[in-house]
Amino acid sequence: MASIEVKDTSGKKVKSATLSADVFGVTPNMHAMHEVVRAQRAAWRSGTSSTLTRGQVRGGGKKPFRQKGTGRARQGSIRSPHYTGGGVVFGPHPRSYALKIPNKVVKLAMRSALSAKLADKELIIVDSFGFEKPSTKQAAAALKALGCDHRTTVVIADDDVNAYLSLRNLERVNVIPVAEANTYELIDNKALIFTMDALKRIEEVLA
């Protein structure tokens, strides 16, 4: 089991915490992380692109000209795909881009991401933000004291409303409740901060 410093909002060490080896001590599985992030990004696609086939385009019910005697190639409708304004062949239609990923692979990817963050020394544990009321100014000062002056992801307890409201407006800061933690947001940063409550919860889920 690995041990890590637990800091307060002034950046000072207040105690040490023992991390679960099952969550923070695994060998990162790059393939699992790639598959899960790929599935997440695919699921975000709206899939609303749409075109009309020749059967859906308005008009074109009348034959453009007679079948024979004009010297031109026979035509049945001005809404055929080769006409301007005609239907589209093999065009996009509304669809879902979602991919199915087994739950055990999702958990493996999250364990891999957390283990990689710990190995890269990009994981920070905070005892508690302890905001009595929402304050973006206090949140900015806390992150500065923790040395987070770049893209940062903060994972907080699900019921820590004051911390969420304080952190959400900061530039280059992504704050998420622990219930919404996912592989993409765990790795899309230069620093990953967990509160103690969030840390205990994610270890319960992933261990």
Side-chain angles (χ1 to χ4, degrees):
M1 291 186 177
S3 180
I4 190 171
E5 292 183 354
V6 178
K7 301 180 179 181
D8 58 16
T9 52
S10 64
K12 296 179 180 179
K13 176 183 175 180
V14 292
K15 59 183 178 180
S16 295
T18 301
L19 300 177
S20 170
D22 294 333
V23 179
F24 292 92
V26 304
T27 301
N29 189 314
M30 303 302 293
H31 178 70
M33 287 193 287
H34 169 77
E35 287 298 307
V36 171
V37 170
R38 175 171 168 263
Q40 283 185 249
R41 291 173 62 85
W44 291 339
R45 298 182 65 177
S46 59
T48 55
S49 298
S50 183
T51 54
L52 300 179
T53 65
R54 63 178 295 167
Q56 298 169 321
V57 179
R58 183 179 177 85
K62 180 182 178 181
K63 194 173 175 66
F65 45 82
R66 64 187 187 184
Q67 181 83 346
K68 295 178 178 293
T70 65
R72 301 175 64 185
R74 55 193 177 187
Q75 304 292 334
S77 171
I78 60 171
R79 293 300 178 240
S80 294
H82 60 279
Y83 273 104
T84 300
V88 178
V89 181
F90 304 129
H93 298 286
R95 55 162 290 191
S96 170
Y97 288 91
L99 302 173
K100 290 184 178 181
I101 301 293
N103 191 46
K104 64 180 182 180
V105 177
V106 174
K107 288 187 175 182
L108 173 60
M110 291 184 66
R111 287 194 291 266
S112 297
L114 292 172
S115 296
K117 283 295 177 182
L118 177 62
D120 293 340
K121 297 184 179 356
E122 294 181 350
L123 179 66
I124 300 172
I125 308 299
V126 176
D127 189 27
S128 173
F129 283 103
F131 297 126
E132 296 182 358
K133 62 180 181 179
S135 173
T136 301
K137 184 177 181 179
Q138 291 181 26
L143 292 185
K144 184 177 180 180
L146 292 168
C148 300
D149 55 354
H150 32 57
R151 181 162 177 77
T152 304
T153 297
V154 184
V155 185
I156 60 175
D158 296 328
D159 58 353
D160 196 351
V161 178
N162 286 340
Y164 179 80
L165 295 176
S166 300
L167 292 160
R168 65 176 180 173
N169 288 329
L170 292 175
E171 186 179 5
R172 295 183 295 180
V173 174
N174 179 30
V175 55
I176 53 175
V178 66
E180 297 178 12
N182 57 81
T183 304
Y184 181 85
E185 290 181 298
L186 290 178
I187 62 178
D188 185 32
N189 52 68
K190 291 296 183 180
L192 176 62
I193 299 176
F194 271 87
T195 62
M196 280 300 297
D197 289 340
L199 178 66
K200 292 175 182 177
R201 180 55 184 161
I202 205 163
E203 285 187 333
E204 289 175 3
V205 173
L206 297 180

